[in-house]
Amino acid sequence: MLLARLADASRQVAAEPSRTRKIAALASLFADARPQEVALVISYLAGRLPQGRLGVGWSVLKDRPRPAEEPSLTVGGADAVFTALAQVAGAGAQAERKSLVGELMGAATEPEQEFLLRLLTGEVRQGALDAIALEAVAKAAGAPAGDVRRAVMLEGSLPRVAGALLAEGPGVLASFRLHVGRPVQPMLAHTAASVADAVEALGACCVEEKLDGIRIQVHRFGDDVRIHTRSLDDITGRLPDVVASVRELQGDEFILDGEVIALGPSGRPLPFQDIASRVGSRTDVAAATAAVPLSPVYFDILAAHGTDLLDLPGRERHAELARLIPERMRVRRLVVDDPGSPEQLRTAEDFLAVTLERGHEGVMVKALDAPYVAGRRGRSWLKVKPVHTLDLVVLAAEWGHGRRTGLLSNLHLGARAADGTFVMLGKTFKGLTDAMLRWQTDHLRELAVSDDGFVVRVRPELVVEIAYDGLQRSTRYPAGLALRFARVIRHRPDKSAAQADTIEHVLAFAEGGGASS
């Protein structure tokens, strides 16, 4: 398949507001692709490169060659260049990357160059979400979407399922089953504004501590233990302490869902970054393990004794979990069996308050009768955690891509310092509606002091209200802190920059326990 066909479909889907027509456009694209190309096509539409990070920054991309007149670059040809880029290392790496990217861009037409630029910079946002792509694959293959969804849930990869489905037909879906040792996509949660709202929505439920750790899925078959992350990466070799604890359990052929956290001397959880650093350590694993021991905490079970438990209601899965896992390794929870009871609701709200005091980030409220729907953000799990806000000043903005081409999108945000300058705390493009994007583009153009074609620097005058989940340590920003999961609530043209929140306020919040929360 020519990359031009994919780039054209990406533009079409980006401009199409109708979900039905998005699905139809993608179904046509998948039907045109060869089965061995489908996995790449789906990955590219989702803005993912199978090779992972390529070390290609704006300095490599900014000088593009003249585009080709006619399309000739194939999806497979682009993949071959990405593979070569992933292997570049050592002396002269930057020059070699520039050469490879130059060859790739030189073989691409202007629309293909635009798509490749967005793919390499992580800016592919044309609305081709996995759920839409899944339905498009089902439509292209003539298979029930529910059957495809379950196969993806059990296989852990839409591209792999799509390739098999389009090559072999709907009958192949039955071959995708839950297997101990093969990771499946984890069940995800939506957000509720409060415990009361969550209980009202779910009815009989349990309220569990929401831990700010690394999500893990643990598989054990005999003496073999495998540990996978939320993104299904195998991290078994990095967690010898967790592996040892799993081997001590009195059971076999099981799959557990949980988190790993680290606890300080006082018993309070260590910051998320300490846990992420420990889990990410690949060199001296023994030293990392000794320095930051991890505590696995489990909250669900997907299989036990080789039996698939996914379709059991939550209360029955928890009973199986309790039979296998000692209480000290299970998440703290409270059952609300009578959601209409004011007393039980007060107890649930008190549970949230105590959880926050213990240093955790909130609670999960889960329906007791719900199955485990892997790979989906279902309405039977709801997370509740406090939302923090700051009034920050826009220091710069980046030109958008895809649907946001021609609009200033990604905002650089700063807090006010005592000397009248501003300290950058992060960037975000989230939360912005089309109307907000248009307004801020017009407004920031009036404040612009420079534009290099990628970033527009502006006079620090526009205040925006930002919601964020917490702060984390960061060497990228001068205060040593960065916002976590920041999103724009609204522009505040009614406020002056002198009324924005100060960096002292942010630092005080971090010192009071807000960092890495």
Side-chain angles (χ1 to χ4, degrees), residues 392 395 413-417 419 421-426 477-480 503:
L392 300 176
L395 308 178
L413 303 164
R416 180 167 52 90
D419 61 0
T421 61
F422 295 88
V423 181
M424 190 168 171
L425 291 171
Y477 298 115
I503 189 63

Side-chain angles (χ1 to χ4, degrees), residues 341-402:
S341 166
E343 182 180 355
Q344 288 197 22
L345 182 57
R346 281 195 300 272
T347 302
E349 290 172 335
D350 290 344
F351 185 88
L352 169 60
V354 171
T355 296
L356 294 173
E357 288 175 6
R358 284 169 43 80
H360 300 302
E361 64 173 1
V363 294
M364 296 288 295
V365 185
K366 302 177 179 179
L368 291 175
D369 60 353
Y372 190 100
V373 186
R376 297 191 65 191
R377 198 174 293 279
R379 294 285 179 183
S380 55
W381 284 14
L382 299 173
K383 55 187 174 185
V384 180
K385 54 184 181 179
V387 175
H388 312 291
T389 63
L390 287 170
D391 287 335
L392 300 176
V393 176
V394 177
L395 308 178
E398 298 171 12
W399 288 109
H401 298 282

Side-chain angles (χ1 to χ4, degrees), residues 251-433:
D252 195 11
E253 293 188 64
F254 56 73
I255 305 173
L256 302 173
D257 193 0
E259 301 235 353
V260 284
I261 61 173
L263 302 175
S266 66
R268 291 179 65 83
L270 295 181
F272 172 82
Q273 283 178 292
D274 292 350
I275 304 165
S277 177
R278 159 63 211 280
V279 172
S281 178
R282 291 180 170 88
T283 51
D284 195 343
V285 173
T289 302
V292 184
L294 294 175
S295 299
V297 183
Y298 302 105
F299 49 74
D300 218 320
I301 185 166
L302 285 61
H305 311 296
T307 301
D308 180 340
L309 305 180
L310 294 172
D311 292 328
L312 289 182
R315 57 166 59 87
E316 293 183 30
R317 293 199 312 279
H318 188 267
E320 289 288 344
L321 182 72
R323 279 191 277 271
L324 177 66
I325 304 297
E327 185 176 7
R328 60 182 174 79
M329 296 172 66
R330 299 197 307 268
V331 72
R332 291 173 183 252
R333 72 199 300 261
L334 169 76
V335 173
V336 179
D337 50 25
D338 181 3
S341 166
E343 182 180 355
Q344 288 197 22
L345 182 57
R346 281 195 300 272
T347 302
E349 290 172 335
D350 290 344
F351 185 88
L352 169 60
V354 171
T355 296
L356 294 173
E357 288 175 6
R358 284 169 43 80
H360 300 302
E361 64 173 1
V363 294
M364 296 288 295
V365 185
K366 302 177 179 179
L368 291 175
D369 60 353
Y372 190 100
V373 186
R376 297 191 65 191
R377 198 174 293 279
R379 294 285 179 183
S380 55
W381 284 14
L382 299 173
K383 55 187 174 185
V384 180
K385 54 184 181 179
V387 175
H388 312 291
T389 63
L390 287 170
D391 287 335
L392 300 176
V393 176
V394 177
L395 308 178
E398 298 171 12
W399 288 109
H401 298 282
R403 290 182 59 205
R404 297 186 173 189
T405 297
L407 297 170
L408 288 171
S409 175
N410 204 18
L411 299 177
H412 298 204
L413 303 164
R416 180 167 52 90
D419 61 0
T421 61
F422 295 88
V423 181
M424 190 168 171
L425 291 171
K427 308 177 185 180
T428 189
F429 54 82
K430 296 184 177 178
L432 292 164
T433 65

